mmCIF file of all heavy atoms in Angstrom:
data_model
loop_
_atom_site.group_PDB
_atom_site.id
_atom_site.type_symbol
_atom_site.label_atom_id
_atom_site.label_comp_id
_atom_site.label_asym_id
_atom_site.label_seq_id
_atom_site.Cartn_x
_atom_site.Cartn_y
_atom_site.Cartn_z
ATOM 1 N N PRO A 121 -7.225 -52.639 -16.868
ATOM 2 C CA PRO A 121 -7.005 -52.720 -15.415
ATOM 3 C C PRO A 121 -6.370 -51.453 -14.841
ATOM 4 O O PRO A 121 -6.332 -51.282 -13.637
ATOM 5 C CB PRO A 121 -6.065 -53.910 -15.267
ATOM 6 C CG PRO A 121 -5.336 -53.985 -16.558
ATOM 7 C CD PRO A 121 -6.326 -53.567 -17.612
ATOM 8 N N ASP A 122 -5.876 -50.545 -15.721
ATOM 9 C CA ASP A 122 -5.226 -49.340 -15.210
ATOM 10 C C ASP A 122 -6.198 -48.168 -15.085
ATOM 11 O O ASP A 122 -6.260 -47.520 -14.053
ATOM 12 C CB ASP A 122 -4.061 -48.950 -16.125
ATOM 13 C CG ASP A 122 -3.250 -47.822 -15.529
ATOM 14 O OD1 ASP A 122 -2.816 -47.972 -14.375
ATOM 15 O OD2 ASP A 122 -3.056 -46.800 -16.201
ATOM 16 N N CYS A 123 -6.974 -47.894 -16.138
ATOM 17 C CA CYS A 123 -7.891 -46.755 -16.104
ATOM 18 C C CYS A 123 -9.352 -47.170 -16.066
ATOM 19 O O CYS A 123 -10.236 -46.347 -15.839
ATOM 20 C CB CYS A 123 -7.648 -45.824 -17.300
ATOM 21 S SG CYS A 123 -8.145 -46.522 -18.895
ATOM 22 N N GLY A 124 -9.655 -48.467 -16.301
ATOM 23 C CA GLY A 124 -11.030 -48.947 -16.253
ATOM 24 C C GLY A 124 -11.820 -48.725 -17.529
ATOM 25 O O GLY A 124 -13.012 -49.056 -17.580
ATOM 26 N N SER A 125 -11.195 -48.143 -18.565
ATOM 27 C CA SER A 125 -11.907 -47.887 -19.818
ATOM 28 C C SER A 125 -12.139 -49.188 -20.584
ATOM 29 O O SER A 125 -11.322 -50.117 -20.547
ATOM 30 C CB SER A 125 -11.111 -46.915 -20.691
ATOM 31 O OG SER A 125 -10.935 -45.699 -20.039
ATOM 32 N N GLN A 126 -13.247 -49.252 -21.315
ATOM 33 C CA GLN A 126 -13.551 -50.420 -22.139
ATOM 34 C C GLN A 126 -12.817 -50.306 -23.471
ATOM 35 O O GLN A 126 -12.720 -49.220 -24.046
ATOM 36 C CB GLN A 126 -15.067 -50.493 -22.366
ATOM 37 C CG GLN A 126 -15.542 -51.831 -22.929
ATOM 38 C CD GLN A 126 -17.050 -51.843 -23.092
ATOM 39 O OE1 GLN A 126 -17.552 -51.186 -23.962
ATOM 40 N NE2 GLN A 126 -17.728 -52.593 -22.242
ATOM 41 N N THR A 127 -12.259 -51.386 -23.927
ATOM 42 C CA THR A 127 -11.529 -51.368 -25.189
ATOM 43 C C THR A 127 -11.732 -52.693 -25.917
ATOM 44 O O THR A 127 -12.116 -53.711 -25.308
ATOM 45 C CB THR A 127 -10.026 -51.122 -24.942
ATOM 46 O OG1 THR A 127 -9.374 -50.940 -26.202
ATOM 47 C CG2 THR A 127 -9.395 -52.294 -24.211
ATOM 48 N N GLN A 128 -11.506 -52.724 -27.223
ATOM 49 C CA GLN A 128 -11.649 -53.932 -28.041
ATOM 50 C C GLN A 128 -10.277 -54.544 -28.304
ATOM 51 O O GLN A 128 -9.306 -53.820 -28.539
ATOM 52 C CB GLN A 128 -12.327 -53.608 -29.374
ATOM 53 C CG GLN A 128 -13.832 -53.379 -29.253
ATOM 54 C CD GLN A 128 -14.470 -53.242 -30.620
ATOM 55 O OE1 GLN A 128 -13.825 -52.860 -31.577
ATOM 56 N NE2 GLN A 128 -15.740 -53.584 -30.702
ATOM 57 N N VAL A 129 -10.223 -55.906 -28.279
ATOM 58 C CA VAL A 129 -8.962 -56.593 -28.540
ATOM 59 C C VAL A 129 -9.204 -57.762 -29.504
ATOM 60 O O VAL A 129 -10.312 -58.295 -29.610
ATOM 61 C CB VAL A 129 -8.339 -57.127 -27.239
ATOM 62 C CG1 VAL A 129 -8.057 -55.998 -26.274
ATOM 63 C CG2 VAL A 129 -9.229 -58.167 -26.584
ATOM 64 N N ASN A 130 -8.137 -58.102 -30.175
ATOM 65 C CA ASN A 130 -8.137 -59.297 -31.030
ATOM 66 C C ASN A 130 -7.821 -60.499 -30.130
ATOM 67 O O ASN A 130 -6.764 -60.556 -29.509
ATOM 68 C CB ASN A 130 -7.077 -59.146 -32.126
ATOM 69 C CG ASN A 130 -7.081 -60.311 -33.100
ATOM 70 O OD1 ASN A 130 -7.634 -61.387 -32.816
ATOM 71 N ND2 ASN A 130 -6.459 -60.112 -34.271
ATOM 72 N N ASP A 131 -8.757 -61.481 -30.047
ATOM 73 C CA ASP A 131 -8.587 -62.588 -29.105
ATOM 74 C C ASP A 131 -7.462 -63.541 -29.503
ATOM 75 O O ASP A 131 -7.134 -64.463 -28.760
ATOM 76 C CB ASP A 131 -9.888 -63.357 -28.899
ATOM 77 C CG ASP A 131 -10.380 -64.015 -30.189
ATOM 78 O OD1 ASP A 131 -9.720 -63.824 -31.240
ATOM 79 O OD2 ASP A 131 -11.416 -64.682 -30.139
ATOM 80 N N GLU A 132 -6.831 -63.304 -30.669
ATOM 81 C CA GLU A 132 -5.715 -64.147 -31.060
ATOM 82 C C GLU A 132 -4.361 -63.535 -30.679
ATOM 83 O O GLU A 132 -3.326 -64.163 -30.847
ATOM 84 C CB GLU A 132 -5.762 -64.406 -32.568
ATOM 85 C CG GLU A 132 -6.989 -65.215 -32.996
ATOM 86 C CD GLU A 132 -6.988 -65.462 -34.508
ATOM 87 O OE1 GLU A 132 -6.076 -64.922 -35.191
ATOM 88 O OE2 GLU A 132 -7.883 -66.165 -34.999
ATOM 89 N N LYS A 133 -4.396 -62.271 -30.164
ATOM 90 C CA LYS A 133 -3.150 -61.598 -29.794
ATOM 91 C C LYS A 133 -2.745 -61.984 -28.374
ATOM 92 O O LYS A 133 -3.576 -62.363 -27.551
ATOM 93 C CB LYS A 133 -3.319 -60.070 -29.885
ATOM 94 C CG LYS A 133 -3.642 -59.551 -31.277
ATOM 95 C CD LYS A 133 -2.422 -59.616 -32.179
ATOM 96 C CE LYS A 133 -2.713 -58.933 -33.516
ATOM 97 N NZ LYS A 133 -1.534 -58.979 -34.395
ATOM 98 N N GLU A 134 -1.428 -61.864 -28.097
ATOM 99 C CA GLU A 134 -0.932 -62.140 -26.760
ATOM 100 C C GLU A 134 -1.052 -60.915 -25.849
ATOM 101 O O GLU A 134 -1.108 -61.045 -24.627
ATOM 102 C CB GLU A 134 0.524 -62.595 -26.822
ATOM 103 C CG GLU A 134 0.720 -63.940 -27.503
ATOM 104 C CD GLU A 134 2.172 -64.368 -27.450
ATOM 105 O OE1 GLU A 134 2.987 -63.589 -26.879
ATOM 106 O OE2 GLU A 134 2.498 -65.446 -27.964
ATOM 107 N N PHE A 135 -1.083 -59.705 -26.442
ATOM 108 C CA PHE A 135 -1.257 -58.494 -25.623
ATOM 109 C C PHE A 135 -1.836 -57.410 -26.525
ATOM 110 O O PHE A 135 -1.859 -57.515 -27.753
ATOM 111 C CB PHE A 135 0.087 -58.021 -25.031
ATOM 112 C CG PHE A 135 1.110 -57.636 -26.062
ATOM 113 C CD1 PHE A 135 1.165 -56.343 -26.575
ATOM 114 C CD2 PHE A 135 2.028 -58.586 -26.538
ATOM 115 C CE1 PHE A 135 2.104 -55.996 -27.511
ATOM 116 C CE2 PHE A 135 2.956 -58.232 -27.488
ATOM 117 C CZ PHE A 135 3.009 -56.942 -27.989
ATOM 118 N N CYS A 136 -2.294 -56.358 -25.898
ATOM 119 C CA CYS A 136 -2.800 -55.188 -26.627
ATOM 120 C C CYS A 136 -2.556 -53.954 -25.757
ATOM 121 O O CYS A 136 -2.081 -54.063 -24.628
ATOM 122 C CB CYS A 136 -4.281 -55.353 -26.947
ATOM 123 S SG CYS A 136 -5.328 -55.268 -25.474
ATOM 124 N N PHE A 137 -2.893 -52.797 -26.293
ATOM 125 C CA PHE A 137 -2.736 -51.550 -25.554
ATOM 126 C C PHE A 137 -4.089 -50.880 -25.390
ATOM 127 O O PHE A 137 -4.903 -50.851 -26.326
ATOM 128 C CB PHE A 137 -1.771 -50.585 -26.270
ATOM 129 C CG PHE A 137 -0.358 -51.088 -26.300
ATOM 130 C CD1 PHE A 137 0.111 -51.839 -27.375
ATOM 131 C CD2 PHE A 137 0.496 -50.832 -25.231
ATOM 132 C CE1 PHE A 137 1.409 -52.303 -27.395
ATOM 133 C CE2 PHE A 137 1.803 -51.287 -25.263
ATOM 134 C CZ PHE A 137 2.268 -52.028 -26.338
ATOM 135 N N CYS A 138 -4.311 -50.309 -24.216
ATOM 136 C CA CYS A 138 -5.572 -49.600 -23.962
ATOM 137 C C CYS A 138 -5.640 -48.366 -24.854
ATOM 138 O O CYS A 138 -4.694 -47.567 -24.907
ATOM 139 C CB CYS A 138 -5.664 -49.187 -22.484
ATOM 140 S SG CYS A 138 -7.112 -48.174 -22.116
ATOM 141 N N LEU A 139 -6.771 -48.207 -25.538
ATOM 142 C CA LEU A 139 -6.935 -47.070 -26.445
ATOM 143 C C LEU A 139 -7.088 -45.752 -25.682
ATOM 144 O O LEU A 139 -6.885 -44.681 -26.249
ATOM 145 C CB LEU A 139 -8.150 -47.298 -27.353
ATOM 146 C CG LEU A 139 -8.066 -48.513 -28.280
ATOM 147 C CD1 LEU A 139 -9.349 -48.664 -29.071
ATOM 148 C CD2 LEU A 139 -6.867 -48.378 -29.226
ATOM 149 N N GLU A 140 -7.422 -45.850 -24.390
ATOM 150 C CA GLU A 140 -7.666 -44.643 -23.604
ATOM 151 C C GLU A 140 -6.395 -44.118 -22.944
ATOM 152 O O GLU A 140 -6.082 -42.931 -23.026
ATOM 153 C CB GLU A 140 -8.718 -44.943 -22.523
ATOM 154 C CG GLU A 140 -9.266 -43.703 -21.822
ATOM 155 C CD GLU A 140 -10.104 -42.850 -22.732
ATOM 156 O OE1 GLU A 140 -10.684 -43.388 -23.711
ATOM 157 O OE2 GLU A 140 -10.156 -41.633 -22.495
ATOM 158 N N CYS A 141 -5.651 -45.024 -22.256
ATOM 159 C CA CYS A 141 -4.480 -44.577 -21.490
ATOM 160 C C CYS A 141 -3.167 -45.155 -21.997
ATOM 161 O O CYS A 141 -2.094 -44.781 -21.515
ATOM 162 C CB CYS A 141 -4.653 -44.912 -20.009
ATOM 163 S SG CYS A 141 -4.601 -46.690 -19.663
#
Side-chain angles (χ1 to χ4, degrees):
D122 188 54
C123 70
S125 300
Q126 193 178 72
T127 187
Q128 284 187 335
V129 300
N130 184 343
D131 63 358
E132 295 181 356
K133 298 287 187 179
E134 293 184 0
F135 62 88
C136 69
F137 293 92
C138 175
L139 298 177
E140 192 68 26
C141 69

